[in-house]
Amino acid sequence: MVIRTCVGCRQRAEKSTLVRVVAGRSPAGSTVEPDPDGSQPGRGAHLHPAERCLQLALDRRAFVRALRLEGPTDTDAVAEWVRAEAQRRA
């Protein structure tokens, strides 16, 4: 059993219950992208697939710190993934 900490709520949970996110690049700056299968290279952070945890992470600028990003950061891809996952589970 592998334990990770959610960057949103800061609760420890099994890795299998969290989604890994990684930093990407776009012409406008950095992006934060979901990596549900955990196969993308680079530094990652973990997040519960819940709106509450996403909002906490955004409010605390947790993605910027955890992924060591600078400048403007686009988190739309993660937000869309979390919303889709929430609808799928409902």
Side-chain angles (χ1 to χ4, degrees):
M1 175 170 63
V2 179
I3 303 293
R4 296 287 185 257
T5 301
C6 173
V7 295
C9 67
R10 304 295 300 156
Q11 294 292 315
R12 294 169 50 109
E14 287 188 41
K15 183 178 175 182
S16 61
T17 64
L18 303 170
V19 63
R20 181 175 187 256
V21 297
V22 295
R25 300 292 292 154
S26 75
S30 300
T31 62
V32 178
E33 302 168 359
D35 180 21
D37 58 359
S39 63
Q40 292 184 11
R43 185 171 188 82
H46 291 82
L47 179 74
H48 282 111
E51 286 273 345
R52 180 178 149 274
C53 290
L54 174 64
Q55 193 58 51
L56 286 169
L58 294 172
D59 291 347
R60 296 178 47 242
R61 296 180 35 89
F63 294 126
V64 173
R65 275 197 310 277
L67 300 173
R68 298 179 182 167
L69 302 174
E70 295 181 11
T73 304
D74 179 8
T75 58
D76 290 345
V78 170
E80 289 175 23
W81 189 91
V82 167
R83 289 182 188 109
E85 189 67 14
Q87 286 181 350
R88 187 182 71 80
R89 291 181 182 205

